């Protein structure tokens, strides 16, 4: 099994470096439903990134929509690692060839000012630990061909992470209705995705609670300064080369990303 885990890691790394997606991992290198092995693949990738000098800056939560969970046949979210190399400035153009099969989704980002090391964390602990919120766009991506993914594929592939964009309008937690805040993601002035905080496990704070407890139990807790992307507020949208996307979230302001028409070479 260890050889298969290492082979899965190599295939994903090669897909990233060559820009050519690999076939699904499930049923080939990783057993169907083997979440533990999938996270081991993810950990191998994270170690390689850190070995190249990338710095861990937080985490992202995926599979926070009940509809998406049902489609995958799972009943819990997943998570991936965020590094400084994945961060893109608000409105900064992204070379389209940095990604394989990019899609965008609007999210709420939590920025922490306290460690969350207790596995028995309470909602009050969470509220006390959040420094501020930001609007965010996650540029999700998949190293798996045609986005043909299962829970195992996406976890191994760092929860289908790509890049992330944070807005520049920090807000206090007390000033935002996380459950009812509305979201619209626009392209060329037209809405392409709409949603609300309730689409993210009923409340983005619930997603943060799940992640904090999960990582604390694993001995790798969230730390002060970490950024947490809490999950999509609406459907993700396939990226069009040359396009710009702007997300507006009630009470949080807006954030924008755009993509080059051609590669950077």
């Amino acid at each position: 099994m260890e050889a298969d885990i290492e082979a899965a890691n190599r295939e994903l790394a090669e897909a990233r470096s060559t820009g050519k997606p690999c076939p699904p991992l499930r049923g080939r290198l990783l057993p169907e439903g083997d979440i533990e092995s999938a996270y081991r693949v993810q950990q191998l990738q994270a170690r390689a990134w850190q070995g190249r000098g990338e710095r861990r800056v937080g985490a992202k939560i995926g599979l926070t929509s009940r509809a998406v969970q049902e489609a995958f046949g799972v009943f819990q979210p997943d998570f991936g690692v965020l590094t400084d190399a994945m961060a893109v400035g608000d409105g900064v153009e992204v070379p389209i060839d940095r990604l394989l099969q990019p899609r965008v989704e609007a999210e709420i980002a939590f920025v922490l000012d306290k460690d969350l090391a207790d596995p028995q964390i309470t909602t009050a602990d969470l509220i006390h630990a959040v420094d501020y919120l930001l609007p965010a766009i996650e540029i999700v991506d998949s190293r798996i061909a045609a986005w043909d993914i299962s829970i195992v594929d996406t976890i191994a592939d760092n929860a289908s992470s790509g890049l992330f964009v944070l807005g520049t309008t920090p807000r206090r937690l007390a000033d935002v209705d996380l459950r009812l805040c509305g979201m619209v993601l626009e392209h060329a002035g037209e809405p392409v995705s709409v949603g609300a905080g309730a689409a993210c496990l009923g409340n983005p704070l619930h997603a943060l609670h799940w992640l904090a407890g999960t990582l604390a139990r694993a001995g790798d807790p969230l730390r002060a300064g970490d950024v947490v992307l809490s999950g999509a507020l609406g459907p993700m949208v396939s990226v069009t080369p040359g396009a710009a996307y702007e997300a507006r979230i009630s009470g949080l302001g807006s954030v924008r990303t755009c993509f080059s028409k051609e590669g950077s070479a």
Side-chain angles (χ1 to χ4, degrees):
M1 188 64 213
E2 190 63 34
D4 288 337
I5 288 172
E6 292 177 358
N9 176 53
R10 286 195 300 271
E11 287 199 13
L12 291 170
E14 184 176 359
R16 286 178 183 272
S17 64
T18 65
K20 298 178 181 178
C22 65
L25 304 174
R26 65 186 186 279
R28 187 170 62 88
L29 294 174
L30 301 177
E32 295 275 3
D34 190 349
I35 290 175
E36 181 179 351
S37 293
Y39 275 119
R40 289 177 63 194
V41 175
Q42 183 186 122
Q43 290 164 1
L44 289 177
Q45 293 177 84
R47 288 175 195 157
W49 302 333
Q50 291 170 349
R52 293 198 299 266
E54 294 185 30
R55 179 172 56 89
R56 179 186 177 279
V57 296
K60 61 152 289 183
I61 310 171
L63 299 178
T64 53
S65 161
R66 296 300 184 193
V68 173
Q69 287 183 5
E70 290 173 4
F72 281 110
V74 298
F75 301 96
Q76 67 178 43
D78 69 350
F79 65 86
V81 175
L82 297 179
T83 75
D84 59 335
M86 300 174 186
V88 177
D90 188 4
V92 174
E93 184 177 86
V94 177
I96 196 67
D97 60 357
R98 281 194 67 180
L99 303 148
L100 280 73
Q101 307 171 92
R103 301 177 179 183
V104 290
E105 56 189 29
E107 307 192 10
I108 292 173
F110 293 92
V111 181
L112 306 179
D113 67 354
K114 293 179 177 59
D115 295 353
L116 292 173
D118 187 348
Q120 305 303 320
I121 190 168
T122 67
T123 299
D125 294 330
L126 282 182
I127 293 171
H128 190 55
V130 174
D131 191 8
Y132 55 90
L133 312 176
L134 289 170
I137 292 176
E138 184 181 4
I139 304 170
V140 292
D141 199 8
S142 181
R143 272 53 62 176
I144 307 298
W147 276 90
D148 181 6
I149 59 174
S150 71
I151 181 69
V152 166
D153 296 299
T154 187
I155 288 175
D157 192 22
N158 198 39
S160 302
S161 64
L163 307 172
F164 68 96
V165 186
L166 300 179
T168 57
T169 53
R171 297 288 188 266
R172 296 188 309 157
L173 181 60
D175 295 337
V176 180
D177 187 331
L178 287 177
R179 187 176 72 85
L180 296 180
C181 62
M183 178 281 295
V184 59
L185 178 65
E186 295 182 346
H187 163 49
E190 296 294 329
V192 290
S193 178
V194 295
C200 180
L201 290 186
N203 186 316
L205 199 64
H206 297 165
L208 178 62
H209 188 277
W210 173 83
L211 180 66
T214 298
L215 293 182
R217 286 188 292 275
D220 186 24
L222 292 169
R223 300 294 187 185
D226 277 353
V227 174
V228 177
L229 300 182
S230 56
L233 304 183
M236 61 182 176
V237 176
S238 294
V239 166
T240 300
Y245 301 86
E246 183 173 6
R248 290 183 283 108
I249 303 173
S250 300
L252 275 173
S254 63
V255 58
R256 183 176 178 273
T257 192
C258 58
F259 298 86
S260 66
K261 288 186 177 180
E262 299 176 350
S264 56

